[in-house]
Each structure stands twice: as C-alpha cells, then as structure tokens.
Amino acid sequence: MEKDDGTGERLDEEVEGLRRRVSELEQAEKEMLRVRKALEQGMEALNIVLENSHDILAILGKDGIISYISPSVERITGYNRDRLIGTNALETIHPEDMERFLVAFTAGMVKPGKAINMEARYRHVDGTWHFMEAQGINLTDNPVVGGMVVTARDITDRKAVEEELKRSESYYRSLIRNAADMIS
C-alpha cells in the first residue's frame, strides 16, 4: 500500500484556488467593461453638450496656443476645430483689441486660479468682425489641464441691440430738448 503524503490534496486545493482566481479575474474584467462602457457613454454625452453649447470652451497654453477647443466653435465661428488646435488664439483678434486682450491674458497667467473677463472682436471665417465675451481661469497648475480654460460667447447681436438702444435714447433726448426749446 502506498503512503499518502498529501500531494493530491494540495493539488486539489491549488486547483480550487486557481479556479477562484480565474473567477475573480472574469468578474474584474466584466466590471472593467461596464466601467469602460459608462465612460464612453459619458464622453459621448459630454461631446453632445459641447457641440450644442452656445459657448466655446477652449484651453490656451501660456503662449496663447490652443490645445483644446470645443466642437461648438465650428457652428459659432465657422472655423474648423481641428485646424484651430495648435494655432495662436490671437490670430483672429481684431488689431484694435489686441493690446487689451494681451494685457488681460497676461494678467490672468500670472497666478494659478486667477480669473479674467473681457470682450474683444474676432474675425469670423466669413471675414466679418464679431464681438466675443470671454471668461478665463488659469489652471496651469492642474496637470490634466495645464493652461487657461476659456469660455467664450458671441455677443454680436447683443452689441447691435445695445448700440441701437443708445441711438434711440440719444434721438429721444434731442427731441425732448428741442421740444423744450420750442415751448419756451
């Protein structure tokens, strides 16, 4: 009769341990696929939001180079998004607004967390000048962002309404002044 040294039992235990480990890995893989799918759905939803936003979201490096710009830029400005990435944001700023833009941008880049607000004209792809309102925050210290996050909105229509309102107020003021002169 052969002596049982426990080898068979140890092998059975090892096989059972390996089976448990394979089962754990299969469960981990299923969870990873679930997380990946949720992440893809979240990214798809974010892209839909960015495409349909009335605002442009961009990340500018310290040198003003665009490292990211939202898909809405094409609908708002007419510029191809992929062609803008890697270009300098200053290229479309009106020459008369350039110094003010540079001062605000430079001031914003002085310190992480610093916020800026400004208005400037930009050249639309059709060659016309439009007004843009922008807010930025310096996130250069954030390794994921590494630049200034800028949210910009075309305010050309609002500016036109404001200008018309000024003209209208001026017209009515002059009517009132002239009417007062005629009465006296």
Side-chain angles (χ1 to χ4, degrees), residues 29-41:
E29 183 178 13
K30 285 179 186 175
E31 178 64 11
M32 192 166 49
L33 288 172
R34 188 192 65 73
V35 168
R36 182 177 288 138
K37 184 176 181 178
L39 181 60
E40 287 171 358
Q41 288 173 335

Side-chain angles (χ1 to χ4, degrees), residues 89-98 100-101 118-124 128-134 153-156 159:
L90 298 174
E91 291 178 16
T92 61
I93 300 294
H94 193 284
E96 293 174 11
D97 298 337
M98 185 69 69
R100 201 165 22 90
F101 182 87
M118 71 161 311
E119 289 181 9
R121 289 167 287 179
Y122 76 95
R123 187 178 53 250
H124 190 276
T128 59
W129 292 101
H130 292 235
F131 285 92
M132 187 71 70
E133 176 182 66
R153 165 177 291 204
D154 188 308
I155 59 167
T156 305
K159 288 294 218 182

Side-chain angles (χ1 to χ4, degrees), residues 1-179:
M1 186 173 189
E2 285 187 35
K3 189 175 174 184
D4 184 10
D5 60 2
T7 305
E9 237 178 72
R10 279 195 309 266
L11 284 175
D12 287 343
E13 288 174 7
E14 286 181 30
V15 167
E16 187 55 36
L18 289 172
R19 283 188 182 128
R20 277 194 305 271
R21 184 67 181 133
V22 166
S23 178
E24 290 169 0
L25 291 172
E26 286 172 346
Q27 290 301 320
E29 183 178 13
K30 285 179 186 175
E31 178 64 11
M32 192 166 49
L33 288 172
R34 188 192 65 73
V35 168
R36 182 177 288 138
K37 184 176 181 178
L39 181 60
E40 287 171 358
Q41 288 173 335
M43 291 298 293
E44 185 177 341
L46 179 60
N47 280 331
I48 289 169
V49 168
L50 291 173
E51 283 175 19
N52 293 290
S53 174
H54 292 286
D55 293 345
I56 298 168
L57 183 67
I59 300 174
L60 308 180
K62 291 179 181 180
D63 51 5
I65 301 295
I66 301 168
S67 62
Y68 172 82
I69 196 154
S70 61
S72 58
V73 72
E74 293 182 22
R75 182 175 34 78
I76 295 168
T77 69
Y79 289 102
N80 179 286
R81 176 178 181 241
D82 294 331
R83 296 192 77 202
L84 286 175
I85 295 174
T87 64
N88 195 307
L90 298 174
E91 291 178 16
T92 61
I93 300 294
H94 193 284
E96 293 174 11
D97 298 337
M98 185 69 69
E99 185 176 338
R100 201 165 22 90
F101 182 87
L102 283 171
V103 167
F105 184 76
T106 303
M109 282 305 218
V110 168
K111 178 180 165 192
K114 176 95 171 138
I116 61 168
N117 294 303
M118 71 161 311
E119 289 181 9
R121 289 167 287 179
Y122 76 95
R123 187 178 53 250
H124 190 276
V125 76
D126 67 9
T128 59
W129 292 101
H130 292 235
F131 285 92
M132 187 71 70
E133 176 182 66
Q135 295 81 36
I137 185 154
N138 179 338
L139 296 179
T140 53
D141 62 338
N142 183 317
V144 175
V145 178
M148 181 172 290
V149 175
V150 177
T151 306
R153 165 177 291 204
D154 188 308
I155 59 167
T156 305
D157 292 341
R158 183 179 86 193
K159 288 294 218 182
V161 168
E162 287 172 358
E163 192 57 39
E164 184 58 35
L165 183 60
K166 283 180 190 176
R167 278 194 293 272
S168 179
E169 286 174 351
S170 176
Y171 172 74
Y172 286 113
R173 270 193 220 112
S174 73
L175 279 177
I176 291 170
R177 265 188 254 121
N178 290 337

